[in-house]
Amino acid sequence: MLQIIGTKKCKDTAKVLRACKERSIPFQFVDLSQRDLSEGEWKALFAALPAQELLDTDSVYYIKNGYSFREFDSIEELKEHPQLLKTPILRNKGKVSVGYSIDSLLAWGNT
């Protein structure tokens, strides 16, 4: 089953959720504003993609807290502050895609 990680406020996450509903693709939605990711979910994300690719360097939180001007461990910061994640994150059978990608959604939704 496709897992979608994001927030309801994110426009790209809303696009993915709507696309899944329109195409009857079964999915599980993890709302980061409601719960944190489990340790296993973090491990799966970091195994599939480097932590730097998961960082949203354009986010208000990243800019406001001066992450561009300091050195930090990406993995630790992402775990402590999930609002630094690029969303949506699509997970399916060990594969991970970041951002709105209709191609990934259609390919993974048909398996």
Side-chain angles (χ1 to χ4, degrees), residues 7-65:
T7 62
K8 290 183 180 178
K9 291 182 179 181
C10 174
K11 291 180 182 180
D12 284 341
T13 301
K15 286 182 194 176
V16 170
L17 293 173
R18 185 174 57 246
C20 285
K21 289 175 185 173
E22 289 173 353
R23 292 164 178 80
S24 300
I25 298 172
F27 66 91
Q28 174 198 11
F29 177 57
V30 177
D31 189 348
L32 292 172
S33 63
Q34 299 293 318
R35 78 165 181 95
D36 293 332
L37 296 176
S38 69
E39 192 61 36
E41 289 170 324
W42 282 117
K43 284 181 184 177
L45 287 179
F46 296 138
L49 290 173
Q52 285 294 93
E53 286 187 32
L54 296 169
L55 268 174
D56 186 359
T57 56
D58 296 326
S59 73
V60 173
Y61 190 85
Y62 185 90
I63 295 166
K64 184 178 177 183
N65 290 291

